[in-house]
Amino acid sequence: MPQNCIAPRPEENGGGLAQGQADKSEMQDKAVLAFPIMANSQPGFQQTLYPITLKFEEIVYKVKIEQKGSCWGTWSSKEKRILNGITGMVCPGEILAMLGPSGSGKTTLLSALGGRLSGTFSGKITYNGLPFSGSIKRRTGFVAQDDILYPHLTVWETLFFTALLRLPSSLTRDEKADHVDRVITELGLTRCQNSMIGGPLFRGISGGEKKRVSIGQEMLINPSLLLLDEPTSGLDSTTAQRIVTTIKRLASGGRTVITTIHQPSSRLYHMFDKVVLLSEGSPIYYGPASSALEYFSSVGFSTSMTVNPADLLLDLANGITPDSQAENSEQEQKTVKEALVSAYEKNISTKLKAELCNSESHGNDYAKAGGNNFKPEQWCTSWWYQFSVLLQRGVRERRYESFNKLRIFQVVSVAFLGGLLWWHTPKSHIQDRVALLFFFSVFWGFYPLYNAVFTFPQEKRMLIKERSSGMYRLSSYFMARNIGDLPLELALPTAFVFIIYWMGGLKPDPTTFILSLLVVLYNVLVAQGLGLAFGAFLMNIKQATTLASVTTLVFLIAGGYYVQHIPPFIVWLKYLSYSYYCYKLLLGVQYSDDDYYECSKGVWCRVGDFPAVKSMGLNSLWIDVSVMALMLVGYRFIAYMALHRVKLK
């Protein structure tokens, strides 16, 4: 069994090492200097690495599973244990690998250790003898299994924007850029630093390079605790070895590293210091990686062949005995698993608990010395700084998406086609002119709505990842996302109105044109807000687009053009439609009650008496502006509050 590790204790000034730790001073010196934020030796320019000893004791996690009954379609709730009494300890400079078949609870345990497990669990997890806190969170790097990165940013841009948000404001922009360059060099990303990350629609960097970028994002903060979920998943053996070699080098600097891994090669396996082997949520081995085969031989599961230790461990976790000629039956597998769990309780569990008890005093000494008292503030940068960085990043990431050729062609072609259909409509054809104004309100009420619906569902994983790391406030992200979209989202409707307004022969007055343009842009902002609210509330693209389709259909019918005399019991629908208010404002800008048009040859009629105009009315336009203002603010407020409901774990 592994020896106890002593939690290193920094001096009161936070920079030195306790004199009583002379036996590990060399390793700890490495820990402090292994990955400095700045090469400059001036005080404050170096991020000190505080080594963390992580202990987890008797971790139990249960979830409720809904099951359909056999009769009358009844549903019952059943409790399932995902983690069943897992105990262990990881010291600075060590790599703990969690092995086990799919569904054995590896990722769940890793999430619990990183403070990211939703729901409640029993047991005790301590970091240098203290519970999880904001200071520990800022010292923890968490690399998810999937590489969640913006596809249109380059490797350098990805790491640079992360550095701007996660490194303290005491560092200048140039100093953060220098640190990014060092991380890129350390992770071997120099060759591809100016390449785009890439995504499903276009090729970017390789899978191994994406994984190193994800690790680099966490290494920027010089984490004391680094957690990685399946860092070699989907990679070839050579690339996987490079990733694990990088992780090993990072651990040797004094970091505490924990990783889940599905089926490592023998070369990778021997890089691990400790191993936890899980079978259906229960531990069946904890100890040095090099001693695993010896342990299983001692409990009656030896093999005569030379095998990859990881393969043997995974077979045992699945209930398959070594050297078996045929695959064990389900009953035999169950018997093997029960025997292994029993052997663990008898041979490992008791000794392990005793070791943890013996090491408690060291963690308490560290806590008393204030070793975990890092900066108390929740955010390392100001709200305005976060907003400005997120705004820059958003504009740079979406410059390809917002102004892609397809969107421009779509809007411009519709504008020209509409202009040709309404080509220089005579004043006497008031019905056609009114229809053109309604087309304005409909097209620019629905087009931005459908675009905005995708915004937050598509960014959900990125939002959860970054906010779980404490990168920024939700309010700064939300404001940057809204304001960053304005120039891009308002440019196309402006071009649209410029084209179709003059081709359609509407009132050729500059003031009227500008007011009409402003009404359309106002409508765009309101529609966009509703789309954001739908997307944020449902966080599911299919459900959000379905709701948007129903809403647009209702707004279209109740917009005041197709049905002019809505029955009283359902007339309230039109007052919910922003298309109704936009259409009414466009009519009010274009006409007044005292305007006349030639209703038949030689006969002039008041515009206010025209049925389509009369049903809408041309008065009280400021009330309509105010109602749309309430919608503009209200929809976005709903979207913001809905984002607060998104679980970060």
Side-chain angles (χ1 to χ4, degrees), residues 542-586:
K542 183 175 286 188
Q543 293 177 3
T545 50
T546 301
L547 181 58
S549 300
V550 175
T551 303
T552 53
L553 181 61
V554 172
F555 284 3
L556 177 68
I557 297 172
Y561 180 78
Y562 293 111
V563 184
Q564 295 171 12
H565 302 288
I566 302 177
F569 66 88
I570 204 173
V571 72
W572 53 270
L573 271 178
K574 74 177 183 180
Y575 298 115
L576 300 178
S577 170
Y578 55 77
S579 298
Y580 165 79
Y581 297 105
C582 177
Y583 175 43
K584 186 176 178 181
L585 287 173
L586 286 172

Side-chain angles (χ1 to χ4, degrees), residues 366-507:
Y366 181 89
K368 291 174 184 176
N372 224 33
N373 293 333
F374 305 132
K375 291 185 178 181
E377 62 266 20
Q378 186 178 1
W379 309 104
C380 60
T381 53
S382 65
W383 186 95
W384 180 256
Y385 184 85
Q386 293 172 7
F387 167 77
S388 60
V389 171
L390 290 168
L391 185 61
Q392 294 173 47
R393 187 182 72 173
V395 170
R396 188 164 297 190
E397 160 62 21
R398 294 189 295 277
R399 63 190 185 274
Y400 298 99
E401 175 188 341
S402 298
F403 281 124
N404 66 58
K405 295 178 181 178
L406 191 60
R407 285 190 69 182
I408 295 174
F409 172 77
Q410 183 181 21
V411 170
V412 172
S413 61
V414 169
F416 273 107
L417 180 60
L420 293 174
L421 289 172
W422 275 283
W423 179 259
H424 289 178
T425 305
K427 291 182 179 180
S428 58
H429 295 185
I430 191 171
Q431 180 66 47
D432 291 342
R433 288 188 166 223
V434 167
L436 177 57
L437 296 176
F438 185 70
F439 176 66
F440 276 24
S441 67
V442 169
F443 186 79
W444 288 110
F446 301 160
Y447 187 80
L449 170 64
Y450 281 103
N451 285 332
V453 155
F454 294 89
T455 300
F456 293 127
Q458 286 181 338
E459 293 203 352
K460 178 182 178 181
R461 293 166 67 222
M462 181 66 75
L463 182 63
I464 292 174
K465 170 192 170 183
E466 294 185 337
R467 291 203 63 226
S468 296
S469 301
M471 285 179 65
Y472 46 73
R473 300 166 177 84
L474 179 61
S475 56
S476 59
Y477 163 80
F478 186 77
M479 288 300 295
R481 195 65 177 84
N482 277 267
I483 294 177
D485 284 343
L486 291 184
L488 306 176
E489 294 297 329
L490 298 182
L492 287 177
T494 300
F496 179 91
V497 173
F498 262 100
I499 294 170
I500 198 171
Y501 187 92
W502 302 108
M503 291 180 69
L506 294 173
K507 193 174 182 180

